[in-house]
Amino acid sequence: MASNGTENGEFSFASNIRGRNGLSKIQTHKKNQDEICHDDSATPVKAKTIDELHSLQRKKSAPTTPIKGTEGAFAAISEEERQQQQLQSISASLASLTRETGPKVVRGDPARKSETPKVSHVTHHHYAPTLSTSDSGLKFTHILYNLSPAELYEQAIKYEKGSFITSGGALATLSGAKTGRSPRDKRVVKDESTADELWWGKGSPNIEMDEHTFLVNRERAVDYLCSLDKVFVNDQFLNWDPNHRIKVRIVSARAYHSLFMHNMCIRPTPEELEDFGTPDFTIYNAGQFPCNRYTHYMTSSTSIDLNLARREMVILGTQYAGEMKKGLFSVMHYLMPKRQILSLHSGCNVGKDGDVALFFGLSGTGKTTLSTDHNRYLIGDDEHCWSENGVSNIEGGCYAKCIDLAREKEPDIWNAIKFGTVIENVVFDEHTREVDYSDKSVTENTRAAYPIEYIPNAKIPCVGPHPKNVILLACDAFGVLPPVSKLSLAQTMYHFISGYTALVAGTEDGIKEPTATFSACFGAAFIMLHPTKYAAMLAEKMKQHGATGWLVNTGWSGGSYGSGSRIKLAYTRKIIDAIHSGSLLKANYVKTDVFGLEIPTEIDGVPSEILDPVNTWSDKKAYKDTLLKLGGLFKKNFEVFTNYKIGTDNKLTEEILAAGPIF
């Protein structure tokens, strides 16, 4: 054991000198002054400081594809120039409208101060230069551009209170005081063009504001964002149809918002990002900062403002991420019909033979459950376009309700809640980080946002041929609508404009009774034009492509809520299967009273007696009274739509009205 290591001149075991317990004593040998003592068991790292070591850990990732349309081997611009162009574009987005330049922006996290910032700002020549400057004009705003989920996790956990990694790997976040949308605080700029184009007045979701007030709120949001050390910028797409996709830029102050939109919008490839250019629409999310209550049109400290002429949206006073998703959906409801494309609040799936079905339905009707079918591919769960090319999903992700989520009931959603998914306002065990989906301590509106590819049978790209079936779902708690009816085009328009379901609400004395709910086009909060316009487009496309309309009741049978019972999900699935297969088209039909609905006499796997609701009620008079009551509610709801004209006459509206209940 004499000289293990002596050839390196570092140490040796000297046999003639004994230490304690008789062991050989280790002797070190002096080396030359300029030599470094190191461990030879591995090659030494090429770093002199811990920061250098950390920089070695992170490998640079940058696309090197030349921009389309350039020619020659050296035509591609350098990565530095490309980044400079991106920063100039972002600086332009963040520019105040009262100053000559955008803010000084620099890429990267301000916490990593190793690099010297390279200034980028944009001069707006059409404003007279001012001699004064501001404090915000002297500082840098760091841009965290299209960060990956892993990077956004780090930012959220480090800087945002209430952000945690759950046991399944998802990022749990809090949306602050607001745990849902604020429709009463949403405003749309009314100008010369939108005054005529949009639906205003009774029944409309569009509450007006003027251009000046929008600019006041925009300035407030931009000043807030520019005052921060860092902002998150996402450049992404809407609409999977490449011919009709929209470029969107989201500027936000929270990693939570950036990851949410990373999941919900379509994620560009590195090559698509190189060629992104100027966005078609920009969101300024300054939700942590309130609006000024003294500003005209403001009724609270929250304001969500859309300016369709400027293609901009401003969010103040709410951190609920769903405002961005649904704000962009409203924008698509305006932009797409201008291209003769129908925007739809629906689920969509496609069979192995290419037969596409659209599912419309309000909350609680079973839209998510019925459009998720393991024998079919999911195109999308919520927002779609129907163009000359067929159907396409608007989004790149799903936004699923989590309350009472169980693996047995909804395995696809359960399994999608993993690394990369954002879960909002859920409660979890402080030690194990296991989520308790039944806990409503923060809110009942707990949600998960995840990329659509997390669903195993998602069809990527999320596009399909023209729909064969248009399924309108209603949960009729009055128990008088048939389990399924075949609709004429006029009836499809009538029930599409009505957007009916019935909720079960408690009354003063604790008895629960049905309450009719109507939401035009099954998404009244998001439509921009008059509902009849969307209905006419739907009927036109259905006629052109030979699609059939169906009304499916997933609610009660044999009596209203309290006396009847809910139609079994197994029966509803059999009905949907018969629609998909085409066998229901071949059935024999009879017509009902009042609503004039065509109902089949038999469906495989469904008891024939339940197909006509009158058979299931023991009290026939109570059935008739309830049917007339519901018919009256439909008529009353439709009054707001009767005076609308398409073209010079009322012919279309009269045709639609005639397809409603008659008594």
Side-chain angles (χ1 to χ4, degrees):
M1 283 233 28
S3 64
N4 189 356
T6 49
E7 67 276 9
N8 290 325
E10 290 173 11
F11 63 83
S12 62
F13 296 102
S15 54
N16 57 338
I17 304 170
R18 296 281 160 191
R20 280 176 302 171
N21 305 330
L23 292 171
S24 302
K25 207 170 190 178
I26 297 173
Q27 283 186 312
T28 52
H29 304 279
K30 281 192 176 177
K31 300 184 65 143
N32 295 336
Q33 290 289 328
D34 56 345
E35 286 190 57
I36 300 165
C37 181
H38 56 77
D39 177 5
D40 280 293
S41 59
T43 314
V45 293
K46 298 170 187 166
K48 298 221 166 37
T49 66
I50 196 75
D51 286 342
E52 280 185 32
L53 184 59
H54 287 166
S55 73
L56 288 175
Q57 185 186 22
R58 295 189 308 273
K59 183 181 163 190
K60 287 270 186 223
S61 62
T64 52
T65 321
I67 284 180
K68 290 188 193 87
T70 55
E71 289 171 22
F74 304 104
I77 61 170
S78 71
E79 183 57 31
E80 191 175 338
E81 286 175 295
R82 185 176 287 120
Q83 287 195 10
Q84 200 66 10
Q85 285 180 4
Q86 270 177 351
L87 286 174
Q88 284 176 346
S89 171
I90 293 164
S91 178
S93 291
L94 282 167
S96 157
L97 299 178
T98 57
R99 290 190 284 277
E100 60 177 301
T101 59
K104 294 171 183 167
V105 294
V106 59
R107 276 178 84 113
D109 187 345
R112 294 178 187 154
K113 295 208 166 118
S114 54
E115 292 176 33
T116 311
K118 286 174 186 164
V119 185
S120 181
H121 58 77
V122 176
T123 303
H124 294 283
H125 298 293
H126 50 283
Y127 289 113
T130 51
L131 295 171
S132 62
T133 187
S134 65
D135 286 345
S136 61
L138 299 173
K139 67 177 273 296
F140 288 104
T141 301
H142 288 75
I143 304 298
L144 300 177
Y145 183 72
N146 275 44
L147 295 192
S148 67
E151 291 172 302
L152 290 166
Y153 267 51
E154 289 165 15
Q155 290 287 330
I157 287 156
K158 198 169 180 182
Y159 301 110
E160 294 176 17
K161 213 167 179 182
S163 296
F164 297 88
I165 300 177
T166 65
S167 60
L171 181 71
T173 64
L174 291 172
S175 66
K178 297 282 174 99
T179 57
R181 287 181 301 103
S182 306
R184 289 189 189 89
D185 295 311
K186 190 175 163 194
R187 303 283 180 272
V188 183
V189 173
K190 191 172 188 178
D191 55 26
E192 282 180 11
S193 59
T194 57
D196 297 329
E197 290 176 324
L198 301 194
W199 178 31
W200 303 100
K202 192 181 175 189
S204 164
N206 302 316
I207 307 168
E208 69 176 271
M209 77 187 310
D210 60 32
E211 171 90 6
H212 174 77
T213 308
F214 174 84
L215 295 178
V216 169
N217 280 356
R218 181 194 187 276
E219 195 78 348
R220 192 170 172 91
V222 164
D223 281 349
Y224 169 74
L225 290 165
C226 290
S227 74
L228 302 172
D229 279 343
K230 63 184 179 197
V231 294
F232 299 89
V233 176
N234 293 39
D235 280 350
Q236 294 182 253
F237 298 116
L238 294 178
N239 197 354
W240 282 84
D241 181 345
N243 298 327
H244 299 296
R245 75 179 179 186
I246 302 292
K247 298 187 289 184
V248 290
R249 171 167 292 163
I250 303 103
V251 186
S252 58
R254 288 192 64 181
Y256 149 49
H257 291 148
S258 186
L259 182 56
F260 177 91
M261 292 309 271
H262 169 90
N263 289 349
M264 292 312 302
C265 295
I266 298 163
R267 293 157 288 284
T269 63
E271 291 72 33
E272 286 170 332
L273 261 190
E274 290 175 26
D275 211 0
F276 193 84
T278 307
D280 300 313
F281 199 88
T282 304
I283 293 178
Y284 300 98
N285 188 342
Q288 286 153 293
F289 199 63
C291 66
N292 184 340
R293 290 290 298 273
Y294 288 101
T295 308
H296 194 33
Y297 298 102
M298 298 301 105
T299 51
S300 77
S301 59
T302 299
S303 193
I304 301 104
D305 309 327
L306 274 178
N307 188 327
L308 295 167
R310 289 186 59 86
R311 306 283 170 98
E312 290 178 340
M313 176 180 173
V314 168
I315 298 173
L316 290 163
T318 172
Q319 297 178 62
Y320 181 66
E323 294 289 7
M324 295 183 285
K325 167 189 157 67
K326 290 304 187 187
L328 287 175
F329 191 32
S330 297
V331 171
M332 294 298 274
H333 271 311
Y334 173 74
L335 294 177
M336 291 296 108
K338 283 177 167 292
R339 303 184 185 189
Q340 302 310 306
I341 296 167
L342 179 59
S343 44
L344 300 163
H345 188 214
S346 69
C348 182
N349 66 24
V350 58
K352 302 206 168 34
D353 299 327
D355 58 299
V356 168
L358 292 172
F359 293 82
F360 294 90
L362 301 181
S363 186
T365 57
K367 182 178 74 164
T368 306
T369 306
L370 295 170
S371 60
T372 306
D373 184 333
H374 288 151
N375 298 314
R376 297 170 69 80
Y377 298 109
L378 182 73
I379 290 174
D381 74 329
D382 197 43
E383 302 176 10
H384 293 88
C385 284
W386 188 351
S387 74
E388 73 282 1
N389 305 322
V391 288
S392 55
N393 191 346
I394 288 173
E395 302 180 296
C398 302
Y399 194 32
K401 288 193 190 83
C402 290
I403 198 67
D404 296 325
L405 180 68
R407 178 182 262 150
E408 307 73 49
K409 282 199 292 183
E410 298 195 84
D412 284 353
I413 296 172
W414 180 278
N415 293 328
I417 299 176
K418 57 185 181 181
F419 182 81
T421 298
V422 182
I423 41 177
E424 295 172 325
N425 302 317
V426 296
V427 176
F428 50 83
D429 183 283
E430 65 177 353
H431 174 56
T432 65
R433 299 285 196 262
E434 279 186 29
V435 179
D436 179 358
Y437 291 110
S438 65
D439 196 316
K440 304 170 188 173
S441 300
V442 181
T443 177
E444 198 166 309
N445 188 33
T446 52
R447 296 261 181 174
Y450 47 85
I452 192 159
E453 55 266 30
Y454 281 17
I455 297 292
N457 62 326
K459 184 182 180 299
I460 309 290
C462 305
V463 294
H466 295 285
K468 281 214 171 123
N469 293 295
V470 173
I471 300 166
L472 311 181
L473 299 167
C475 175
D476 177 30
F478 290 99
V480 293
L481 288 182
V484 61
S485 332
K486 185 173 70 168
L487 303 175
S488 66
L489 282 180
Q491 284 177 322
T492 304
M493 285 191 277
Y494 182 87
H495 287 280
F496 178 70
I497 291 171
S498 297
Y500 164 73
T501 196
L503 304 172
V504 178
T507 53
E508 295 79 56
D509 52 6
I511 298 167
K512 289 194 169 184
E513 60 175 43
T515 310
T517 300
F518 296 94
S519 182
C521 308
F522 294 94
F526 322 118
I527 60 177
M528 303 295 278
L529 315 178
H530 194 280
T532 309
K533 279 195 178 175
Y534 298 107
M537 281 182 81
L538 177 64
E540 182 59 39
K541 287 188 181 293
M542 287 174 69
K543 188 178 178 181
Q544 190 181 344
H545 301 289
T548 308
W550 306 90
L551 180 64
V552 173
N553 173 21
T554 61
W556 270 254
S557 175
S560 295
Y561 174 87
S563 60
S565 57
R566 188 95 191 242
I567 296 166
K568 287 192 171 83
L569 178 61
Y571 294 160
T572 305
R573 284 207 184 277
K574 287 283 185 192
I575 288 166
I576 299 294
D577 289 345
I579 291 172
H580 289 324
S581 71
S583 64
L584 201 50
L585 277 175
K586 299 170 189 151
N588 294 318
Y589 286 85
V590 293
K591 207 166 195 174
T592 68
D593 291 339
V594 182
F595 281 90
L597 298 167
E598 298 261 332
I599 56 174
T601 53
E602 56 180 45
I603 299 169
D604 191 33
V606 182
S608 293
E609 62 271 16
I610 74 162
L611 295 175
D612 189 343
V614 69
N615 299 333
T616 62
W617 284 62
S618 52
D619 186 339
K620 306 298 180 197
K621 185 183 181 302
Y623 166 77
K624 187 75 177 177
D625 291 346
T626 311
L627 181 64
L628 290 172
K629 180 184 176 183
L630 183 60
L633 293 170
F634 265 85
K635 276 191 165 182
K636 188 173 188 305
N637 171 68
F638 218 86
E639 283 168 8
V640 75
F641 308 120
T642 51
N643 59 359
Y644 186 76
K645 291 182 182 178
I646 287 186
T648 53
D649 58 31
N650 253 358
K651 196 175 165 201
L652 181 71
T653 304
E654 285 163 12
E655 188 190 336
I656 296 169
L657 265 175
I662 295 165
F663 55 94

